[in-house]
Amino acid sequence: MRSDGILGSKDAEERSKWLKRKEIWLVVLGVILHAVYMLSIFDIYFKTPIVHGVDLVTPRFTAPAKRLVLLVADGLRADKFYEPDSEGNYRAPFLRSIIKTQGRWGVSHARPPTESRPGHVAIIAGFYEDPSAVTKGWKANPVEFDSVFNRSQHTISFGSPDIVPIFCGALQHSTWDSYPHEFEDFATDASFLDMWSLDQFRSLLNRSNEDSKLKELLQMDNLVVFLHLLGCDSNGHAHRPFSSIYLNNVKVVDHVAESVYNLVEDYFKDNQTAYIFTADHGMSDKGSHGDGHPSNTDTPLVAWGAGVKYPRPVSSSNHSDRGFRFVDDHVHDSPTPTEWGLHGIERVDVNQADIAPLMSTLLGLPCPVNSVGSLPLDYINMSKAEEVEAVLANTKEILNQFLRKSYIKQSHSLYFKPFKPLSHYSSMLGKIEDLILSTEYDAAMDLSQNLRSLALQGLHYFQTYDWLMLMSVITFGYVGWMLYLVLHVLQSYTSLPGNIFGVEQEVQRNHRRKIYLYGCVVTVMLSLLLLLDHSPPLYHMYMIMTSFSWVQIFSEYQFINSLWKHLSGRKVNIVIKLLATTAISVFILEFLVNSFTERKLYTVCFLIAGVAASVYLLKSIPWKSGIPIYVWIACWFLSVFTLMPAEIPDNNQLVVGSGAVIIIIGIAARWLDLHAGRRKYWLSMCNREKSPKISSLFYTQVILVALSSVMVYLSTTHRTEKQELLALHQLVNWSIAGFSMVLPLFSENSLLSRLTSIFLGFAPPFLLLSIGYEAVFYAALALVLMAWILFENTLLNLNIVNKSSDPIRNVTNNPIILGHGNRPLQLSDVRIPLVFMVLFNIAFFGTGNFASIASFEISSVYRFITIFSPFLMAALLIFKLFIPFMLVICAFSAITKLNKVPRLGCYFLVILFSDVMTIHFFFLVRNKGSWMEIGNSISHFGIMSAQVVFVLLLFALTNVYTKDLHCNSAVPSARKAN
């Protein structure tokens, strides 16, 4: 006699309702848990370095300069600035003459994320903003941190509406202006934006001759002039940094620098102005930025004017810190490329944050209170005594930050662990003061720099103070969630014998009450400890989520005990099969983990998979069916794409040709749907009733794919002729993309018909968002998904023939829970979520590295919009990346219906496997080495953590297309074959 299950005497309908509520609760819990744990990386690695209440350090030296001009060429690469053009002429003649005759030069090393806001914060405020600040977009409060502008008497600024207001919008002592957003049109040459900033500054100087208040303002000490030059960034995105438009913009930037220099010198005539020219980030060859590639982190730096040293020849004794590494992991004194023509002049590289203390020192201002930059002495023209005072002021500012963080942590902690190397910092400061009084400047300089280095280490110590505790809590939380997920799948979606669930209801209920009570007591105690420790609210959330997961596991003690007895009583071969399945699953998941850093692994994977699947099928079904050969060819075709460069080259003809390939695939699928329905391996996938209305729908979709290919050609050709995107083209492109995605809802609900319609429906928007070989990838992925379906369909038919029975015989102990006609999950069904994971990840990496910020190809959206709109552009890019995922999930849904397995049960297995990868990535997160490696490891963890959310969203979205998907019964043909 079968037990009623885990709820004892409740009837099936009540049990069904209870378990459905539990499913909803479990999904909500999973989303919340992953969202909370994903935030942990910000507390561990991306904790904001800003600390309030830090005391200012007043400089004890005379300001070398009365005013400072800061020119930032947004998106200017160092190599494109310094190297000559194809004719041997240098693109920045004025600034090169400055380098050779009256200034200093080098490379400023930026730290990822190499975006505009973090770059400008590093230059102007002197610290590396936590990367989470990028998520604030351009709307952040400009007074969240101190900056050189805040310390100035007055700041004058002109430039982009995305940058200037961040630093000057709420600054009372500032005069600024920016051009409208509409000026940032990627379809034009954006160098006029730089000329706009120059014209505004020239106009200001001219107005001052008639405005006495303005003239008085300009004559102030500690005046800062900031011109933001956006041209190189816009032209780099639109035309690539090796294009003539971008390279010509370098000349424009040089012209702006020369004009500003002449205007200032002619206006003031006092030689009391210091000039700094640099960039916030570079630009990759494909016109993007964001990661830690040298093309993004290497930016030019030229300084000249009052207080700046003159150039000097290269000398081996100039630097003694050859082992020093910059924030982008470049070694100090890296060789200067010969083609730059500057190898005879000393090059002084700096970290980007070093520019802020340099500007403060030139103006005689206190360093910004959160600055972590080290004053580059090789740029400063001061006496030895003043140099020591400048470095000491720089050191004291960093030390004050350390002392403030130490005080805050000590006042909030029950058990405080101090940073021991700085326990005697006061005696070190006293010794430095004594050395200065005795004019032993070299010794004082060495000690000051050593103290500064220790203070920076101390800041890092407190930045990662809670690292071990948080890592432990979150690791236990993930393990608990995964174990609870396994228990739920075993209870709800398998056909384990009834005696496993035969626990007396009252006993089980009392046991759970005790567990919940003990769990609440432990959780409250842990929360109180965190509260006494003044821990942030998120720390409480981490602890509560972890505690809650393990309480749920302990509450299933009776089931776990019964399950253990059941397994221990089974035959050895069953246990071996279970262990083998687990080992294979772990191997595949580890393969996927490694594929995040090596895309070519997918090539090997699909080469092997194609051969293995084909050989297996050839042993089971006749080769004349064409299925084994098709599976082989499809897998090998897809394997090619991960050998191609992640930086997708523009190829308009390939995109247009891909439209023809997609149409051919659609026609072939339609022919099979009409003519292959009587073959036993196609019976369950084909439609038995044909409708003229449905045929016209198919032809409409084919026409839309063809029309999108034509629009790809027309839109791109028009834009490459340096013309703006026509409103008609834009309207047609939007209309095609939107209309085509609705049509699959009206297609036939047979498996092959609906999937073909979905494939054709999402092809037009994908083509319109493609620039190269990724359009062919779309077709190749669809072919492999069809191969997967054919493989599963063949296995289904073979199982039916072998068993000579109804495929849903003894289907379920609970048909209401599993769904009508569904069967329980078996151990062999693990292959379905595993294959899904592989195909889902190939959709990630088939055409690039989705885990890298710089992999977003912004030119993909130019057929829909060219006016700069970061949120709309980002939405279009993400939508394009999600289209292949939607195809994979639609195929996954079709296979669950084909095999009559519960879709939600398979979804929980997908999340389980994703979390195995997530916890691996959690341990792979790095806080040492190059920032590119650190950033990539963080992004890998973030992607896998978010997968539970966006996979769920995509499941819900694709369910609109697949909920009425119908698979014909394969039983009659199978019995006939038998």
Side-chain angles (χ1 to χ4, degrees):
M1 181 176 179
R2 184 177 59 84
S3 169
D4 285 328
I6 60 173
L7 296 181
S9 62
K10 288 189 176 182
D11 58 40
E13 186 176 352
E14 289 178 346
R15 185 163 63 250
S16 172
K17 291 179 180 178
W18 185 87
L19 282 176
K20 284 181 179 177
R21 287 197 300 269
K22 183 181 179 182
E23 303 263 279
I24 296 172
W25 170 81
L26 194 62
V27 169
V28 172
L29 174 65
V31 172
I32 294 173
L33 183 140
H34 285 81
V36 169
Y37 284 173
M38 189 161 57
L39 293 175
S40 68
I41 62 173
F42 298 108
D43 282 320
I44 298 172
Y45 300 100
F46 291 161
K47 204 169 184 178
T48 177
I50 297 174
V51 57
H52 299 287
V54 179
D55 296 329
L56 282 172
V57 177
T58 304
R60 300 185 301 193
F61 55 87
T62 306
K66 188 175 180 179
R67 70 196 65 84
L68 181 136
V69 176
L70 173 63
L71 304 171
V72 178
D74 202 310
L76 178 58
R77 278 169 56 158
D79 57 346
K80 300 302 179 186
F81 174 77
Y82 289 122
E83 70 185 16
D85 58 24
S86 57
E87 297 178 358
N89 300 317
Y90 291 100
R91 303 184 183 103
F94 168 72
L95 289 170
R96 285 187 71 84
S97 68
I98 292 293
I99 291 171
K100 292 182 176 180
T101 59
Q102 55 177 307
R104 303 289 273 166
W105 78 285
V107 171
S108 171
H109 297 276
R111 170 173 158 175
T114 44
E115 300 289 345
S116 293
R117 175 188 160 116
H120 282 86
V121 168
I123 293 169
I124 300 167
F127 70 92
Y128 301 105
E129 195 170 22
D130 56 303
S132 63
V134 177
T135 62
K136 299 176 183 176
W138 312 110
K139 308 295 183 184
N141 185 348
V143 294
E144 287 180 346
F145 50 81
D146 192 21
S147 72
V148 176
F149 295 174
N150 292 26
R151 298 291 145 212
S152 68
Q153 287 290 328
H154 199 86
T155 295
I156 297 169
S157 180
F158 300 106
S160 167
D162 300 321
I163 293 298
V164 172
I166 289 179
F167 298 94
C168 300
L171 201 62
Q172 297 298 320
H173 55 277
S174 66
T175 301
W176 62 275
D177 196 8
S178 60
Y179 39 78
H181 277 286
E182 291 73 26
F183 279 25
E184 301 176 28
D185 189 345
F186 290 129
T188 63
D189 183 350
S191 60
F192 77 94
L193 300 176
D194 300 343
M195 297 305 298
W196 184 94
S197 299
L198 172 62
D199 292 341
Q200 294 299 309
F201 180 62
R202 182 187 286 116
S203 175
L204 181 95
L205 294 181
N206 291 337
R207 288 200 315 271
S208 69
N209 294 322
E210 301 174 358
D211 187 338
S212 58
K213 288 187 177 180
L214 182 57
K215 193 172 187 66
E216 182 182 348
L217 184 149
L218 288 169
Q219 295 298 333
M220 283 183 176
D221 289 348
N222 305 135
L223 176 71
V224 175
V225 177
F226 168 49
L227 296 188
H228 176 253
L229 312 175
L230 185 64
C232 286
D233 184 74
S234 296
N235 285 329
H237 285 312
H239 309 288
R240 308 293 191 270
F242 46 78
S243 65
S244 59
I245 294 178
Y246 179 91
L247 298 177
N248 182 68
N249 207 146
V250 180
K251 299 177 183 179
V252 173
V253 164
D254 182 72
H255 168 71
V256 171
E258 182 178 15
S259 300
V260 169
Y261 175 72
N262 291 332
L263 285 170
V264 171
E265 294 302 313
D266 291 344
Y267 185 88
F268 294 103
K269 298 184 175 65
D270 58 1
N271 295 323
Q272 289 295 304
T273 307
Y275 302 85
I276 290 180
F277 173 87
T278 188
D280 55 346
H281 56 74
M283 183 74 61
S284 69
D285 286 341
K286 64 177 182 176
S288 62
H289 54 82
D291 63 16
H293 191 274
S295 62
N296 291 328
T297 59
D298 289 2
T299 63
L301 175 62
V302 182
W304 74 100
V308 180
K309 285 181 178 177
Y310 281 81
R312 64 179 179 180
V314 174
S315 171
S316 59
S317 61
N318 287 347
H319 300 293
S320 59
D321 51 351
R322 292 181 179 274
F324 176 77
R325 286 181 176 269
F326 295 99
V327 288
D328 61 346
D329 211 34
H330 274 61
V331 181
H332 192 72
D333 286 342
S334 57
T336 301
T338 306
E339 60 269 20
W340 289 8
L342 296 170
H343 52 276
I345 305 172
E346 184 186 15
R347 163 183 166 182
V348 183
D349 286 8
V350 301
N351 287 320
Q352 196 171 58
D354 298 343
I355 298 174
L358 171 61
M359 293 192 293
S360 297
T361 301
L362 289 172
L363 291 172
L365 297 172
C367 291
V369 294
N370 294 117
S371 170
V372 294
S374 299
L375 177 64
L377 284 175
D378 288 317
Y379 280 87
I380 301 292
N381 187 17
M382 303 170 75
S383 66
K384 197 70 175 177
E386 289 182 322
E387 280 187 357
V388 173
E389 290 290 356
V391 171
L392 182 58
N394 180 210
T395 299
K396 285 181 177 179
E397 196 63 63
I398 297 173
L399 182 63
N400 283 350
Q401 293 178 65
F402 163 80
L403 295 175
R404 180 63 182 167
K405 286 194 174 185
S406 178
Y407 170 77
I408 292 172
K409 181 57 68 175
Q410 185 173 7
S411 62
H412 290 171
S413 299
L414 291 173
Y415 174 69
F416 176 69
K417 296 176 290 183
F419 182 66
K420 293 181 180 179
L422 280 177
S423 56
H424 303 293
Y425 73 91
S426 55
S427 62
M428 296 177 70
L429 283 175
K431 187 174 182 180
I432 292 171
E433 296 288 356
D434 292 340
L435 290 171
I436 292 174
L437 289 174
S438 59
T439 67
E440 296 182 45
Y441 298 126
D442 289 336
M445 180 72 76
D446 291 341
L447 197 55
S448 295
Q449 291 175 336
N450 181 50
L451 180 58
R452 181 177 63 191
S453 177
L454 288 175
L456 289 170
Q457 292 176 31
L459 286 176
H460 178 74
Y461 171 79
F462 285 114
Q463 197 74 9
T464 60
Y465 187 85
D466 298 321
W467 183 82
L468 180 60
M469 183 270 290
L470 290 175
M471 288 284 285
S472 302
V473 170
I474 291 160
T475 299
F476 277 111
Y478 272 119
V479 172
W481 160 255
M482 289 189 290
L483 288 175
Y484 186 57
L485 212 55
V486 170
L487 294 178
H488 174 72
V489 171
L490 290 174
Q491 285 180 325
S492 304
Y493 296 107
T494 62
S495 57
L496 290 171
N499 57 7
I500 290 186
F501 306 103
V503 181
E504 289 295 331
Q505 181 181 0
E506 194 62 36
V507 174
Q508 189 173 0
R509 187 177 297 173
N510 291 333
H511 175 77
R512 284 183 173 175
R513 284 174 182 170
K514 291 180 182 179
I515 294 293
Y516 290 149
L517 178 63
Y518 296 150
C520 287
V521 171
V522 172
T523 303
V524 169
M525 291 177 62
L526 292 173
S527 294
L528 282 174
L529 287 174
L530 291 174
L531 194 64
L532 293 173
D533 212 32
H534 294 81
S535 297
L538 275 176
Y539 285 26
H540 294 265
M541 288 295 295
Y542 305 147
M543 190 67 72
I544 290 170
M545 296 303 295
T546 299
S547 177
F548 184 78
S549 297
W550 282 95
V551 167
Q552 293 300 316
I553 291 172
F554 287 130
S555 70
E556 299 292 344
Y557 169 77
Q558 299 286 1
F559 169 72
I560 296 171
N561 188 43
S562 300
L563 180 64
W564 173 255
K565 291 178 180 178
H566 173 72
L567 288 176
S568 60
R570 303 287 287 178
K571 294 180 180 179
V572 177
N573 63 332
I574 300 297
V575 177
I576 292 174
K577 188 182 293 185
L578 178 62
L579 293 175
T581 303
T582 304
I584 293 171
S585 301
V586 171
F587 175 80
I588 292 173
L589 295 174
E590 288 301 304
F591 164 84
L592 293 175
V593 167
N594 286 280
S595 72
F596 271 66
T597 53
E598 186 53 67
R599 292 171 59 235
K600 293 179 182 178
L601 287 174
Y602 286 109
T603 299
V604 178
C605 171
F606 281 96
L607 288 175
I608 295 173
V611 175
S614 300
V615 170
Y616 179 84
L617 291 174
L618 282 171
K619 290 182 177 179
S620 308
I621 61 175
W623 68 271
K624 292 181 180 180
S625 66
I627 293 176
I629 304 300
Y630 169 78
V631 171
W632 191 332
I633 294 173
C635 289
W636 279 32
F637 182 31
L638 187 64
S639 70
V640 173
F641 291 90
T642 44
L643 295 175
M644 294 183 179
E647 297 181 358
I648 302 172
D650 291 347
N651 193 328
N652 196 39
Q653 292 75 19
L654 188 58
V655 178
V656 174
S658 300
V661 174
I662 289 169
I663 291 173
I664 292 170
I665 293 173
I667 292 172
R670 181 66 179 173
W671 184 89
L672 286 169
D673 191 32
L674 292 172
H675 298 93
R678 295 184 178 180
R679 301 178 185 178
K680 67 176 182 177
Y681 297 114
W682 293 89
L683 176 64
S684 57
M685 296 188 292
C686 297
N687 192 36
R688 294 177 179 176
E689 297 180 1
K690 312 304 173 188
S691 168
K693 181 180 177 181
I694 299 301
S695 296
S696 62
L697 177 67
F698 171 77
Y699 297 134
T700 302
Q701 290 190 289
V702 169
I703 291 170
L704 286 175
V705 174
L707 186 56
S708 65
S709 298
V710 173
M711 292 308 300
V712 164
Y713 176 78
L714 292 177
S715 301
T716 308
T717 303
H718 190 81
R719 194 182 66 81
T720 51
E721 293 174 354
K722 300 179 183 177
Q723 302 178 40
E724 62 182 11
L725 180 66
L726 291 178
L728 177 62
H729 287 176
Q730 196 172 354
L731 178 62
V732 171
N733 291 342
W734 280 102
S735 300
I736 292 172
F739 184 59
S740 65
M741 291 186 293
V742 178
L743 292 180
L745 297 173
F746 304 97
S747 65
E748 297 163 303
N749 62 1
S750 65
L751 190 149
L752 186 56
S753 295
R754 178 58 60 87
L755 292 182
T756 302
S757 186
I758 293 171
F759 168 66
L760 292 175
F762 283 95
F766 195 82
L767 287 174
L768 289 167
L769 288 167
S770 297
I771 62 169
Y773 71 81
E774 78 269 36
V776 187
F777 172 80
Y778 179 82
L781 180 63
L783 291 174
V784 168
L785 292 175
M786 194 64 231
W788 182 27
I789 295 170
L790 287 171
F791 184 85
E792 289 290 341
N793 188 51
T794 304
L795 289 182
L796 179 64
N797 279 275
L798 290 173
N799 287 335
I800 294 170
V801 170
N802 291 335
K803 293 180 180 178
S804 302
S805 62
D806 192 322
I808 57 173
R809 178 176 59 88
N810 296 326
V811 156
T812 177
N813 292 340
N814 197 341
I816 298 177
I817 301 303
L818 295 175
H820 177 69
N822 281 347
R823 62 172 176 79
L825 287 173
Q826 301 171 358
L827 191 59
S828 60
D829 292 325
V830 170
R831 73 181 184 279
I832 297 175
L834 284 174
V835 174
F836 170 81
M837 291 287 292
V838 174
L839 292 171
F840 198 79
N841 279 273
I842 192 69
F844 265 113
F845 297 107
T847 58
N849 181 9
F850 184 70
S852 170
I853 298 173
S855 288
F856 293 93
E857 193 66 63
I858 197 169
S859 60
S860 299
V861 305
Y862 289 164
R863 299 185 190 107
F864 290 94
I865 183 174
T866 56
I867 302 298
F868 182 66
S869 177
F871 297 107
L872 179 57
M873 288 178 165
L876 287 169
L877 287 169
I878 292 172
F879 173 69
K880 173 194 173 183
L881 292 165
F882 274 9
I883 288 176
F885 303 153
M886 294 180 70
L887 289 186
V888 176
I889 291 177
C890 286
F892 176 78
S893 299
I895 285 173
T896 57
K897 294 205 173 189
L898 195 66
N899 283 285
K900 301 185 183 301
V901 293
R903 184 177 183 226
L904 198 56
C906 289
Y907 165 75
F908 285 132
L909 288 177
V910 167
I911 299 308
L912 173 65
F913 292 145
S914 296
D915 284 331
V916 173
M917 295 175 63
T918 301
I919 199 168
H920 191 141
F921 281 126
F922 192 63
F923 286 113
L924 289 179
V925 169
R926 301 184 57 176
N927 63 350
K928 294 182 179 179
S930 75
W931 186 253
M932 181 171 68
E933 294 169 331
I934 296 171
N936 282 343
S937 65
I938 293 290
S939 66
H940 295 163
F941 168 70
I943 286 170
M944 293 309 303
S945 297
Q947 197 165 102
V948 64
V949 180
F950 66 73
V951 169
L952 180 64
L953 293 175
L954 288 174
F955 263 82
L957 182 60
T958 55
N959 192 51
V960 176
Y961 294 96
T962 60
K963 64 181 178 181
D964 58 345
L965 196 65
H966 176 69
C967 297
N968 297 319
S969 175
V971 179
S973 75
R975 285 179 173 171
K976 184 178 179 181
N978 192 44

mmCIF file of all heavy atoms in Angstrom, residues 315-332:
data_model
loop_
_atom_site.group_PDB
_atom_site.id
_atom_site.type_symbol
_atom_site.label_atom_id
_atom_site.label_comp_id
_atom_site.label_asym_id
_atom_site.label_seq_id
_atom_site.Cartn_x
_atom_site.Cartn_y
_atom_site.Cartn_z
ATOM 1 N N SER A 315 68.287 58.504 -17.687
ATOM 2 C CA SER A 315 69.453 58.114 -16.899
ATOM 3 C C SER A 315 69.093 56.895 -16.081
ATOM 4 O O SER A 315 67.983 56.795 -15.552
ATOM 5 C CB SER A 315 69.891 59.262 -15.983
ATOM 6 O OG SER A 315 70.878 58.818 -15.068
ATOM 7 N N SER A 316 70.007 55.960 -15.980
ATOM 8 C CA SER A 316 69.738 54.732 -15.220
ATOM 9 C C SER A 316 69.573 55.018 -13.739
ATOM 10 O O SER A 316 69.013 54.208 -13.007
ATOM 11 C CB SER A 316 70.885 53.731 -15.425
ATOM 12 O OG SER A 316 72.118 54.296 -14.993
ATOM 13 N N SER A 317 70.048 56.177 -13.291
ATOM 14 C CA SER A 317 69.956 56.502 -11.860
ATOM 15 C C SER A 317 68.701 57.303 -11.527
ATOM 16 O O SER A 317 68.481 57.682 -10.395
ATOM 17 C CB SER A 317 71.189 57.316 -11.441
ATOM 18 O OG SER A 317 71.252 58.542 -12.176
ATOM 19 N N ASN A 318 67.898 57.561 -12.529
ATOM 20 C CA ASN A 318 66.710 58.383 -12.288
ATOM 21 C C ASN A 318 65.710 57.696 -11.374
ATOM 22 O O ASN A 318 65.010 58.336 -10.613
ATOM 23 C CB ASN A 318 66.026 58.732 -13.618
ATOM 24 C CG ASN A 318 66.815 59.769 -14.404
ATOM 25 O OD1 ASN A 318 67.724 60.382 -13.866
ATOM 26 N ND2 ASN A 318 66.462 59.948 -15.667
ATOM 27 N N HIS A 319 65.557 56.381 -11.502
ATOM 28 C CA HIS A 319 64.557 55.647 -10.716
ATOM 29 C C HIS A 319 65.234 54.518 -9.964
ATOM 30 O O HIS A 319 66.124 53.861 -10.471
ATOM 31 C CB HIS A 319 63.474 55.068 -11.619
ATOM 32 C CG HIS A 319 62.736 56.118 -12.391
ATOM 33 N ND1 HIS A 319 61.924 57.041 -11.799
ATOM 34 C CD2 HIS A 319 62.699 56.383 -13.726
ATOM 35 C CE1 HIS A 319 61.415 57.839 -12.722
ATOM 36 N NE2 HIS A 319 61.864 57.456 -13.897
ATOM 37 N N SER A 320 64.772 54.305 -8.767
ATOM 38 C CA SER A 320 65.312 53.213 -7.951
ATOM 39 C C SER A 320 64.255 52.165 -7.630
ATOM 40 O O SER A 320 64.547 51.182 -6.982
ATOM 41 C CB SER A 320 65.886 53.778 -6.637
ATOM 42 O OG SER A 320 64.864 54.457 -5.924
ATOM 43 N N ASP A 321 63.015 52.408 -8.065
ATOM 44 C CA ASP A 321 61.919 51.491 -7.710
ATOM 45 C C ASP A 321 61.481 50.681 -8.918
ATOM 46 O O ASP A 321 60.340 50.684 -9.313
ATOM 47 C CB ASP A 321 60.735 52.266 -7.131
ATOM 48 C CG ASP A 321 60.305 53.426 -8.016
ATOM 49 O OD1 ASP A 321 61.027 53.726 -8.988
ATOM 50 O OD2 ASP A 321 59.242 54.016 -7.735
ATOM 51 N N ARG A 322 62.426 49.965 -9.510
ATOM 52 C CA ARG A 322 62.115 49.213 -10.725
ATOM 53 C C ARG A 322 61.171 48.040 -10.446
ATOM 54 O O ARG A 322 60.541 47.536 -11.363
ATOM 55 C CB ARG A 322 63.413 48.682 -11.363
ATOM 56 C CG ARG A 322 64.283 49.788 -11.916
ATOM 57 C CD ARG A 322 65.544 49.228 -12.566
ATOM 58 N NE ARG A 322 66.358 50.294 -13.123
ATOM 59 C CZ ARG A 322 66.198 50.814 -14.332
ATOM 60 N NH1 ARG A 322 65.229 50.368 -15.094
ATOM 61 N NH2 ARG A 322 66.978 51.776 -14.777
ATOM 62 N N GLY A 323 61.067 47.597 -9.214
ATOM 63 C CA GLY A 323 60.163 46.495 -8.906
ATOM 64 C C GLY A 323 58.725 46.928 -8.714
ATOM 65 O O GLY A 323 57.840 46.095 -8.589
ATOM 66 N N PHE A 324 58.488 48.234 -8.697
ATOM 67 C CA PHE A 324 57.133 48.750 -8.464
ATOM 68 C C PHE A 324 56.217 48.419 -9.634
ATOM 69 O O PHE A 324 56.614 48.475 -10.787
ATOM 70 C CB PHE A 324 57.218 50.269 -8.271
ATOM 71 C CG PHE A 324 55.877 50.936 -8.126
ATOM 72 C CD1 PHE A 324 55.185 50.860 -6.935
ATOM 73 C CD2 PHE A 324 55.305 51.627 -9.183
ATOM 74 C CE1 PHE A 324 53.952 51.479 -6.796
ATOM 75 C CE2 PHE A 324 54.090 52.248 -9.057
ATOM 76 C CZ PHE A 324 53.402 52.172 -7.852
ATOM 77 N N ARG A 325 54.978 48.073 -9.309
ATOM 78 C CA ARG A 325 53.977 47.806 -10.343
ATOM 79 C C ARG A 325 52.829 48.794 -10.199
ATOM 80 O O ARG A 325 52.397 49.101 -9.095
ATOM 81 C CB ARG A 325 53.446 46.370 -10.243
ATOM 82 C CG ARG A 325 54.425 45.335 -10.727
ATOM 83 C CD ARG A 325 53.853 43.937 -10.637
ATOM 84 N NE ARG A 325 54.779 42.965 -11.196
ATOM 85 C CZ ARG A 325 54.793 42.564 -12.452
ATOM 86 N NH1 ARG A 325 53.913 43.065 -13.301
ATOM 87 N NH2 ARG A 325 55.657 41.683 -12.900
ATOM 88 N N PHE A 326 52.353 49.264 -11.334
ATOM 89 C CA PHE A 326 51.238 50.196 -11.335
ATOM 90 C C PHE A 326 49.918 49.440 -11.137
ATOM 91 O O PHE A 326 49.877 48.218 -11.155
ATOM 92 C CB PHE A 326 51.228 50.990 -12.649
ATOM 93 C CG PHE A 326 52.427 51.884 -12.804
ATOM 94 C CD1 PHE A 326 53.517 51.488 -13.566
ATOM 95 C CD2 PHE A 326 52.473 53.115 -12.171
ATOM 96 C CE1 PHE A 326 54.628 52.300 -13.703
ATOM 97 C CE2 PHE A 326 53.587 53.934 -12.296
ATOM 98 C CZ PHE A 326 54.666 53.527 -13.067
ATOM 99 N N VAL A 327 48.823 50.216 -11.018
ATOM 100 C CA VAL A 327 47.537 49.596 -10.722
ATOM 101 C C VAL A 327 47.056 48.678 -11.838
ATOM 102 O O VAL A 327 46.229 47.794 -11.614
ATOM 103 C CB VAL A 327 46.459 50.656 -10.440
ATOM 104 C CG1 VAL A 327 46.680 51.313 -9.112
ATOM 105 C CG2 VAL A 327 46.383 51.671 -11.561
ATOM 106 N N ASP A 328 47.539 48.879 -13.063
ATOM 107 C CA ASP A 328 47.154 47.981 -14.157
ATOM 108 C C ASP A 328 48.206 46.914 -14.398
ATOM 109 O O ASP A 328 48.243 46.289 -15.451
ATOM 110 C CB ASP A 328 46.885 48.767 -15.445
ATOM 111 C CG ASP A 328 48.112 49.537 -15.922
ATOM 112 O OD1 ASP A 328 49.066 49.670 -15.136
ATOM 113 O OD2 ASP A 328 48.116 50.014 -17.072
ATOM 114 N N ASP A 329 49.093 46.712 -13.394
ATOM 115 C CA ASP A 329 50.096 45.645 -13.390
ATOM 116 C C ASP A 329 51.251 45.884 -14.351
ATOM 117 O O ASP A 329 51.995 44.964 -14.670
ATOM 118 C CB ASP A 329 49.449 44.284 -13.693
ATOM 119 C CG ASP A 329 50.185 43.146 -12.987
ATOM 120 O OD1 ASP A 329 50.684 43.379 -11.879
ATOM 121 O OD2 ASP A 329 50.273 42.052 -13.553
ATOM 122 N N HIS A 330 51.408 47.111 -14.846
ATOM 123 C CA HIS A 330 52.586 47.436 -15.638
ATOM 124 C C HIS A 330 53.788 47.604 -14.725
ATOM 125 O O HIS A 330 53.690 48.176 -13.642
ATOM 126 C CB HIS A 330 52.364 48.735 -16.415
ATOM 127 C CG HIS A 330 51.691 48.536 -17.736
ATOM 128 N ND1 HIS A 330 50.438 47.994 -17.848
ATOM 129 C CD2 HIS A 330 52.102 48.805 -19.001
ATOM 130 C CE1 HIS A 330 50.098 47.945 -19.121
ATOM 131 N NE2 HIS A 330 51.085 48.433 -19.840
ATOM 132 N N VAL A 331 54.925 47.123 -15.181
ATOM 133 C CA VAL A 331 56.154 47.250 -14.405
ATOM 134 C C VAL A 331 56.721 48.650 -14.585
ATOM 135 O O VAL A 331 56.629 49.250 -15.656
ATOM 136 C CB VAL A 331 57.194 46.204 -14.868
ATOM 137 C CG1 VAL A 331 58.465 46.311 -14.047
ATOM 138 C CG2 VAL A 331 56.610 44.806 -14.747
ATOM 139 N N HIS A 332 57.287 49.190 -13.503
ATOM 140 C CA HIS A 332 57.906 50.516 -13.565
ATOM 141 C C HIS A 332 59.068 50.511 -14.561
ATOM 142 O O HIS A 332 59.773 49.523 -14.717
ATOM 143 C CB HIS A 332 58.409 50.908 -12.180
ATOM 144 C CG HIS A 332 58.788 52.343 -12.070
ATOM 145 N ND1 HIS A 332 57.858 53.352 -12.060
ATOM 146 C CD2 HIS A 332 59.997 52.935 -11.984
ATOM 147 C CE1 HIS A 332 58.487 54.513 -11.955
ATOM 148 N NE2 HIS A 332 59.772 54.279 -11.906
#
